Amino acid sequence: MSAGATGVGSLPGGDAREAAKTVTGSFEEFPYLAELPARGPGADMIGRSLGLLVDMYAHVEPSGWRISDRPGRDSKRARSWLGEDLDALEEFTQGYTGKLKVQAVGPWTLAAALELHGGEAMLQDPGACRDLAGSLAEGLRAHLADVRRRIPGADVVLQLDEPSLTAVLLGRVRSASGYRTYRAVDRQVVEGALRDLFAVHDGEVVVHSCAPEVPFGLLRRAGATGVSFDFSLLTEREDDAIGEAVEGGTKLFAGVVPGTDAPLSDPGGSVMGVRKLWRRLGLAPGTLAESVVVTPSCGLAGASPAYARAVQAHCARAARSLADNPE
């Protein structure tokens, strides 16, 4: 069983067809719907997810995304770019059967990024957070149905990007003035909102965070089938949580290759840390290929186009090396 490889989400450039061609060429067994934030507001990860919301709208202010009373140019643009990206992916996945990943920003990172009318983050208003999560769930349901209709052979994997999740749990999200932080959100509330959102998809749900201290245990309890993270940020403190996750059947999407231009080692060298982790945890090497998907450490929007292409091909080779030589 080959260890898989896929991307995280974003790519450099603004050409949807070029992105779809690169992704489907690099990851023949696990392509994903690329995001191209260089096109501007609405193509960025926050804006694109706000475009999915149902009966909730946002627009761009100098300080970032802010809630609106009606749909405006920015949310329309987000939807139109998403449509363009789906058209391109559909074109390059004719007859495809297998895994296909789509990404959206999770409710807690959205609540930390989206401003209320007064300029403070939605995170400070529990009622608004609930409405946001409900609106996102409805939007995702429609989006996933659209993807399945366009690419009927796809086994869709939903990735929710939650880079701010740890900061939300630890009360580290800064207020608009920057002088204070919002109160930590109760872990049960965070977990409950995620569990309800994961329930919109009956396939695999992966949560991605390239921040330190990813809450593996909480994500597993909420029902995530996989966790995507920057492997270089792991510390031995996380060993127990990771061991439990793997033994419980959670897939690890290990970000082992830098997301911005850097010299690439040989593919086997890129996954050496993963093999070491397995030995340290006393896990059977034979389980590596089923448990680990190789990815870049984060999105590739900040990389050069040549590096982004090279990294994706490198991840696919590194995954093969992991499957062929797990020891």
Side-chain angles (χ1 to χ4, degrees):
M1 156 84 194
S2 153
T6 190
V8 171
S10 65
L11 287 177
D15 184 333
R17 287 188 77 252
E18 182 57 38
K21 187 178 165 192
T22 301
V23 163
T24 51
S26 306
F27 300 120
E28 290 170 15
E29 293 173 11
F30 201 164
Y32 63 97
L33 177 64
E35 298 161 5
L36 303 171
R39 293 181 293 199
D44 60 302
M45 109 184 172
I46 298 289
R48 186 187 194 74
S49 296
L50 293 173
L52 292 172
L53 298 179
V54 173
D55 297 333
M56 218 183 217
Y57 313 103
H59 65 277
V60 178
E61 290 276 334
S63 54
W65 286 91
R66 185 169 290 185
I67 200 96
S68 306
D69 297 324
R70 61 185 69 83
R73 197 179 53 206
D74 298 324
S75 29
K76 287 195 182 106
R77 200 186 291 138
R79 277 198 286 278
S80 129
W81 274 326
L82 177 60
E84 202 177 292
D85 294 337
L86 282 166
D87 289 346
L89 187 66
E90 186 178 356
E91 180 188 337
F92 286 96
T93 49
Q94 293 295 309
Y96 174 73
T97 55
K99 286 188 189 298
L100 170 75
K101 183 163 72 69
V102 297
Q103 307 81 225
V105 177
W108 296 107
T109 296
L110 271 188
L114 182 58
E115 298 173 356
L116 296 165
H117 292 296
E120 290 297 343
M122 192 173 261
L123 189 62
Q124 73 165 23
D125 180 338
C129 287
R130 275 195 300 277
D131 293 347
L132 177 65
S135 170
L136 179 62
E138 229 174 300
L140 275 174
R141 208 173 268 123
H143 176 47
L144 291 163
D146 184 24
V147 173
R148 282 192 290 261
R149 191 169 57 245
R150 288 164 174 267
I151 309 164
D155 170 12
V156 181
V157 175
L158 171 63
Q159 172 182 309
L160 290 165
D161 293 311
E162 280 282 17
S164 303
L165 184 60
T166 302
V168 167
L169 288 165
L170 298 176
R172 291 181 187 160
V173 178
R174 296 215 158 273
S175 66
S177 67
Y179 292 124
R180 57 183 189 88
T181 51
Y182 298 112
R183 226 192 355 255
V185 180
D186 182 85
R187 295 182 85 85
Q188 299 316 112
V189 172
V190 169
E191 194 181 312
L194 290 174
R195 186 178 296 114
D196 292 348
L197 188 62
F198 298 169
V200 305
H201 184 45
D202 52 12
E204 289 181 54
V205 179
V206 177
V207 176
H208 168 72
S209 168
C210 46
E213 302 172 72
V214 175
F216 287 92
L218 181 146
L219 294 174
R220 270 185 58 222
R221 285 193 305 277
T225 58
V227 182
S228 165
F229 56 97
D230 179 343
F231 194 82
S232 71
L233 297 177
L234 281 189
T235 65
E236 294 198 8
R237 279 204 306 275
E238 273 114 344
D239 278 7
D240 289 350
I242 287 179
E244 277 169 33
V246 172
E247 283 170 349
T250 306
K251 280 222 169 78
L252 302 183
F253 285 64
V256 294
V257 190
T260 47
D261 295 40
L264 293 172
S265 72
D266 66 296
S270 292
V271 286
M272 195 144 60
V274 180
R275 291 195 187 96
K276 276 188 186 144
L277 172 71
W278 238 243
R279 281 200 293 275
R280 208 164 68 222
L281 297 175
L283 295 166
T287 61
L288 259 174
E290 295 105 79
S291 302
V292 176
V293 177
V294 177
T295 72
S297 61
C298 212
L300 297 168
S304 66
Y307 179 78
R309 279 194 299 275
V311 161
Q312 303 202 84
H314 183 89
C315 285
R317 285 197 296 271
R320 271 199 295 281
S321 142
L322 205 51
D324 297 343
N325 318 302
E327 296 284 357

